[in-house]
Amino acid sequence: MTISRITIGFSAITLCGSLFFITPVIAQTLDVAKEGKELNLYSARHYQTDEALYSDFTKKTGIKINRIEADDNALAERLKSEGSKSPADVILMVDAARLWRAQIDGFFKPIHSPYLESRIPTNLRSKPDTEGSTWFGFSTRARLVVYNKSNVNPVDVNTYEKLAEPINKGKVCTRSGAHPYMLSLIGAMIERRGEAATEEWAKGMVTNMARPPRGGDTDQIKAVASGECGVALTNSYYLVRLLRSTKPEDQAIAAKIGFVWPNQQSSGTHINIAGGGIAKNAPHPQAAVQFLEYLASDPAQEYFANGNNEWPVVKSVRIENEGLKMLGTFKAENISVAAIGRNQIAAQRLLDRVGYK
Ligand code: FE
């Protein structure tokens, strides 16, 4: 009932720019009052700017947000142990591999929201079933190549494929292949090139390693600057954080490295999402829909993406972010993140076969 009212509200004011989500919020607040004006949010995000996001939602709707913040694994464990008694309404996670896993673990329920469907591109959400998608992306991040300017020619590392070629022998560093960021990248490659070609690539990567995979993305950037590695992969926001840092030690690292947008002449640079969905047993399902719809609104898109130097998923939203400006523009891969998530099992299997730790 509430949902259909939202639909009417939106279709009536779609062309009214900033008034966009005011009507549905008012319409829904009445219904939400019946179920209690609060929302339990389980979030793997932990950015200060999110405070503004949540308080803006509360100001607009009167719905208080109770937050549980933990990393993705801890959230998953908690949801498993709480089972059907979980008080979670909305679950936010990072990376399609984790969102897909959460979907398979049964943490989400389908969301029927014409608004979310109109705002979020189809390749940035879970595959819809009869009732709609179960999770949606709300920001995107890209997986970039970082190289040491003193001994690597960017032309030799400007595709993911080239990292596995003999020219890069002994130069490549990555975090563990089993990490969701790597599983998603490999899952995307499986989607583009098939399993056999991706396995060949992974074999070449193992041959080319400067050291066994270890550490996080920032550790890879540091190892490139120190010369231990010639080239590495990192999510864009770690690079932005470093490039914008005023610490002398970070500036020294930034001076030694260059970056390239991989696959610009072909498939585009691999992108992933931070996103979320409604918990299976959400005690406040209407408030949960309302919150996710809020996240897709123009002002929330700005907060959400800016909070971690990411890009909004809603195409019409432009953000002013100096760090993102430093990175410039690029051609992004347009593979469905749902397919990427699904391919992570095949990705893990082929990594095991080639000994990619
Ligand atoms: Fe991260």
Side-chain angles (χ1 to χ4, degrees), residues 47 94 98 141 175 179 181 217 235 237-238 241 308:
Y47 313 119
V94 294
R98 290 192 178 111
R141 61 270 302 278
R175 69 191 307 158
H179 190 274
Y181 299 168
D217 285 2
N235 274 0
Y237 52 88
Y238 294 110
R241 211 178 284 169
N308 190 31

Side-chain angles (χ1 to χ4, degrees), residues 173-206:
C173 288
T174 70
R175 69 191 307 158
S176 166
H179 190 274
Y181 299 168
M182 291 304 296
L183 289 177
S184 285
L185 173 77
I186 296 161
M189 195 180 280
I190 291 173
E191 200 63 19
R192 286 194 287 115
R193 305 185 55 211
E195 231 174 297
T198 305
E199 184 161 340
E200 273 313 299
W201 173 83
K203 216 183 273 176
M205 290 289 278
V206 172

